[in-house]
Amino acid sequence: MAAQYLTLNKPTNRPLSQHVVDGYAADMIAGRWKLTHEAIAFDVDANLLDGQHRLTAIVKSGRTVPVFVAFNADPATFDKLNRGKVRTTSDIFVIAFKQKYGESPSGATYVCAIASGMLQGVKTSKPDKDETWSYALKKHKLMQETREALGSSTRAATINTTVVAAFANAVSYFSLNAMAPLMERIRTEMWAAENDPLKALKARLVKSSLDEVRGAALSKVEKYAMTVSAIRAGLSRASA
């Protein structure tokens, strides 16, 4: 039925976003897709006004998905569709946090960025919205503790969400107590030795921050890998 409905798609409809289709289809296959009030809509001439991404995702998923369908819509409403504010990952995180704890979290956007960085550090694909906000809800206390332990830098841009994510993953794996001395050295810049790997990390992060002006900064993947290497070296020296 979804494939049949798609044959009635308006030629003037917006271009199909494969990224959106893939995300919808993944939710349908995983059983995360929910029935909402938003209907597939046809105008009085049986042209598909709204729903091409959902219908294409249904076809791709191969699943039966219940949806509401509206008929005889006014064609003049076509250019007013899909103009509402889309809920961001942090919006969903805030809603879930309020439902669980009865209060709003602080720095929701920053927390979700750290959660995304943590997930990308342990998996090969970019996490979707549901993975990110649910992980942020699960790990928000650990992330907050990590942020506080790292402290605010005089060069704030150096301790960004990617760096915090790498340290947070290490805290999750090794414990806060094991990681605290390393994070204190980053925070206070009181190095264990001249060749302290944390000192070298801080210097490279500062250089990357300055390089952003000329477009030569390190990528997120590079910053994450560099931070993990420094953490491993620091822990190795501590246990020697």
Side-chain angles (χ1 to χ4, degrees), residues 150-172:
L150 284 168
S152 58
S153 171
T154 52
R155 300 181 178 94
T158 63
I159 309 301
N160 57 26
T161 55
T162 301
V163 176
V164 177
F167 274 98
N169 272 337
V171 169
S172 183

Side-chain angles (χ1 to χ4, degrees), residues 10-27:
K10 282 175 67 70
T12 55
N13 218 327
R14 60 181 171 174
L16 198 69
S17 169
Q18 193 59 49
H19 173 72
V20 172
V21 171
D22 292 344
Y24 287 176
D27 284 345

Side-chain angles (χ1 to χ4, degrees), residues 162 166 219-232:
T162 301
S219 68
K220 288 184 178 181
V221 172
E222 290 171 324
K223 285 181 181 179
Y224 187 92
M226 184 178 67
T227 305
V228 169
S229 295
I231 291 170
R232 286 175 176 166

Side-chain angles (χ1 to χ4, degrees), residues 5-224:
Y5 278 174
L6 283 168
T7 65
L8 303 174
N9 200 5
K10 282 175 67 70
T12 55
N13 218 327
R14 60 181 171 174
L16 198 69
S17 169
Q18 193 59 49
H19 173 72
V20 172
V21 171
D22 292 344
Y24 287 176
D27 284 345
M28 292 169 183
I29 292 170
R32 296 190 298 262
W33 189 264
K34 303 296 183 184
L35 176 66
T36 73
H37 65 282
E38 295 178 283
I40 304 298
F42 294 90
D43 67 18
V44 291
D45 298 316
N47 294 309
L48 179 66
L49 280 183
D50 190 20
Q52 61 168 341
H53 285 87
R54 284 168 286 168
L55 292 171
T56 304
I58 291 171
V59 173
K60 177 171 181 157
S61 71
R63 301 300 170 91
T64 298
V65 177
V67 296
F68 289 110
V69 182
F71 298 96
N72 299 318
D74 184 352
T77 63
F78 179 68
D79 63 350
K80 300 294 187 286
L81 298 174
N82 299 309
R83 292 174 65 173
K85 182 181 182 294
V86 176
R87 282 181 177 172
T88 64
T89 303
S90 60
D91 288 337
I92 303 171
F93 167 64
V94 169
I95 292 169
F97 193 96
K98 284 181 177 179
Q99 289 175 339
K100 185 171 184 178
Y101 298 106
E103 60 183 14
S104 296
S106 61
T109 300
Y110 193 82
V111 168
C112 287
I114 296 171
S116 179
M118 290 178 70
L119 287 169
Q120 289 183 71
V122 296
K123 58 183 291 188
T124 55
S125 59
K126 185 177 180 180
D128 61 26
K129 281 185 180 182
D130 286 333
E131 289 177 298
T132 301
W133 74 256
S134 58
Y135 197 77
L137 188 65
K138 179 182 178 181
K139 297 285 189 178
H140 78 277
K141 183 178 179 182
L142 180 146
M143 287 186 279
Q144 187 64 34
E145 290 174 341
T146 303
R147 289 175 63 191
E148 291 173 357
L150 284 168
S152 58
S153 171
T154 52
R155 300 181 178 94
T158 63
I159 309 301
N160 57 26
T161 55
T162 301
V163 176
V164 177
F167 274 98
N169 272 337
V171 169
S172 183
Y173 187 80
F174 293 107
S175 82
L176 183 63
N177 286 339
M179 289 298 301
L182 275 66
M183 292 189 287
E184 183 179 6
R185 276 150 47 195
I186 286 281
R187 179 173 54 81
T188 63
E189 298 189 356
M190 296 180 66
W191 314 115
E194 186 60 31
N195 61 347
D196 189 330
L198 280 304
K199 180 180 181 180
L201 170 65
K202 189 69 174 289
R204 291 195 66 187
L205 291 172
V206 170
K207 184 178 183 303
S208 177
S209 178
L210 296 174
D211 285 344
E212 287 183 9
V213 178
R214 48 194 179 85
L218 294 168
S219 68
K220 288 184 178 181
V221 172
E222 290 171 324
K223 285 181 181 179
Y224 187 92

